[in-house]
Structures are given as structure tokens and as C-alpha cells.
Amino acid sequence: MGGLPFDFAYVIDFIPKLLGTLGLTLRIVAGSLLLGLLAGLLAALPRLYRIPVLAQLSQLYASFFRGTPILIQLFLFYYGLPELLKLAHVDVSKTPVLVFVILTYGLHTGAYVSETIRASIQAVDRGQVEAAYTVGMTGVQAFRRIVAPQALAIAVPVLSNLTLALLKDTSLAFTLGVMEMTGKSQTLASLTQHFAEAYLALALVYFVVAFVLEKLMKLGERRLLRHERSGDEPGSPRRFAGLRPSVRPSPIQELKGGNAP
């Protein structure tokens, strides 16, 4: 397979060099996540409100980005998008490759975020919303105090997993020439001919970063959803768990009720 005999000293030597490109990897993750949250929210709204045409386009968007490999998406956006924009006389040839990388990862993440938002909101019992209306809440208040906390409790763990998956997916950015951690490890391996050591060092860095991110997101998740454990705050969904909306009887039911003894 080529390469020099394994020497663990190279693993120790490579780790600081890989950490020098960690900032770029995290910038890709942060930029892609912010774009993904925005794209996911915009894509989820038409399906939640069943807006004609837009709902179908939103579903097509989610299906495409969830159903095709992200590596192919990177190539399509980097090589294909400039060619399409040329037809509209828009020149993006001088656009940094990082822009295409973040755009691709952001739209890819947004497809999963849109499904997460839609599923989380639809998972909240509609009866609790109707119960909130009966006690005088407006639609905005019912969403903010009843729907949003419960939907957030469902969505946050999924979004945490998406963030970790995004961190690992950034390893493909080097295929477009972005010198993030994987690209740096490729360079170190080629220069020193210590391939196993370079990839072992890369795996250790990814593992530690993912571990730290996971712990931070777990901490944030517990702080964000602490009211779900207590259920004692005003407007907490648990206050409405046993409450059922009062439904006005139909005219026929009122007539039948009038004849009852």
C-alpha cells in the first residue's frame, strides 16, 4: 500500500497541525447550520399551512437533498450552478469556493430541518391548542406557550444530531480544494508518507470535537427545556394535559337536548 512504517510520534506531531484548520471546519459548520435553519423554516411553512404549489416545491426540495449524496450536491453547486448563472449573464467565477461549500451544506441541512420542524409541530396534540383557545389565549399565545415548547422538546435532540452529522460531512469539502482538517491530513500524509498516522490523528481530532459539541448541546438542551421537567410555569403544556376544549353542540344536538328529561 506504500508509506513508511507506523510511528505513533507522527500522530502526536500531526494533531496540532490539524487543529490549525479546525477554525475553518467550525466556520463551515456554523455558517451551514444558520443557513440550514433559515432554509428549513422557510421550507416547512408551506407544508404546515398547505399552501398550493409552494408545498409541492418544498416537498421536492426536501426529497432532492435528502435523496442524493452530499458529494454529488457539492459538485453540482460548484460546477453546475455557475454554468446556469451564465445563462442569466451572472458571473460567479471569482466567488470563493467556501461560499459554494456553505451554500450546499446549508441547503442540505435545511432539507432535514424542514422535516424536523414540520414533524415536531404536527406531533403536538391539537386538543391542547383548542383548550388554550377556550381559556382566552390568542393564536400567537397558544403557539408560543403551548405548541413551541413541546415542538422544541422534540426538535432539539434531532437538531443536535444534525449538527454532529454536519461536522462529519465537512470532511468532503476538501474535494473542492478547501483546506479544512481532512484536506490538511491528506497533505500531511502525502508529504510524510505516514498515511495511517495522519488519518488516525484526524479521527482523534474529529472524535474529541464531536464529543465536546455533544456535551455542550446536551447542556444547552437541558437548560432550554428545563421547564418541561417542572411543568409548573404559567402556560406550561402540562397544565393543559387534562383539559379538553368545550365544543358547542350542533343545532340538532341542541334540539335533542331540549327534549331530554
Side-chain angles (χ1 to χ4, degrees):
M1 295 181 62
L4 298 176
F6 184 85
D7 186 350
F8 192 77
Y10 277 91
V11 177
I12 305 301
D13 182 57
F14 288 158
I15 288 178
K17 297 176 180 178
L18 293 176
L19 290 176
T21 58
L22 176 61
L24 178 58
T25 297
L26 294 179
R27 285 200 299 272
I28 295 174
V29 172
S32 303
L33 190 59
L34 290 175
L35 178 59
L37 290 172
L38 177 60
L41 178 61
L42 294 177
L45 292 177
R47 299 181 67 183
L48 286 171
Y49 291 97
R50 296 180 175 88
I51 302 175
V53 181
L54 290 181
Q56 285 72 31
L57 290 176
S58 172
Q59 186 172 4
L60 178 63
Y61 156 72
S63 297
F64 173 79
F65 280 95
R66 295 172 66 199
T68 55
I70 191 170
L71 181 60
I72 304 301
Q73 295 168 18
L74 282 169
F75 290 155
L76 284 175
F77 274 83
Y78 184 64
Y79 296 109
L81 185 59
E83 296 300 322
L84 289 177
L85 292 177
K86 281 182 182 179
L87 299 177
H89 305 288
V90 177
D91 184 16
V92 294
S93 59
K94 296 183 180 180
T95 302
V97 64
L98 193 60
V99 173
F100 292 99
V101 169
I102 292 178
L103 177 63
T104 304
Y105 282 124
L107 293 177
H108 179 85
T109 303
Y112 289 89
V113 171
S114 69
E115 291 296 308
T116 301
I117 293 175
R118 183 183 62 85
S120 300
I121 291 177
Q122 290 181 341
V124 178
D125 184 10
R126 179 65 185 175
Q128 295 186 39
V129 179
E130 294 175 353
Y133 292 153
T134 65
V135 297
M137 287 189 185
T138 64
V140 174
Q141 289 175 327
F143 181 84
R144 181 174 60 85
R145 303 177 69 178
I146 305 300
V147 177
Q150 296 182 76
L152 199 61
I154 300 171
V156 166
V158 179
L159 294 177
S160 298
N161 290 333
L162 283 178
T163 303
L164 293 177
L166 179 59
L167 170 68
K168 292 179 285 186
D169 285 342
T170 58
S171 62
L172 295 175
F174 84 96
T175 59
L176 298 183
V178 177
M179 192 54 66
E180 41 74 64
M181 288 196 300
T182 303
K184 184 66 173 181
S185 69
Q186 289 269 48
T187 302
L188 292 173
S190 299
L191 290 175
T192 63
Q193 293 298 298
H194 285 275
F195 295 95
E197 294 89 332
Y199 294 126
L200 178 58
L202 178 64
L204 290 174
V205 173
Y206 268 116
F207 173 75
V208 172
V209 173
F211 180 81
V212 172
L213 281 179
E214 183 179 13
K215 292 300 180 183
L216 290 175
M217 288 185 292
K218 287 288 185 183
L219 178 62
E221 180 182 334
R222 285 197 296 269
R223 291 176 62 87
L224 187 63
L225 305 177
R226 61 186 181 274
H227 62 276
E228 287 292 312
R229 296 193 298 270
S230 64
D232 295 329
E233 293 185 359
S236 171
R238 294 189 182 184
R239 289 178 174 263
F240 297 90
L243 186 59
R244 290 292 179 267
S246 58
V247 180
R248 182 174 178 174
S250 66
I252 295 178
Q253 290 174 325
E254 289 179 346
L255 289 174
K256 290 182 177 180
N259 295 332

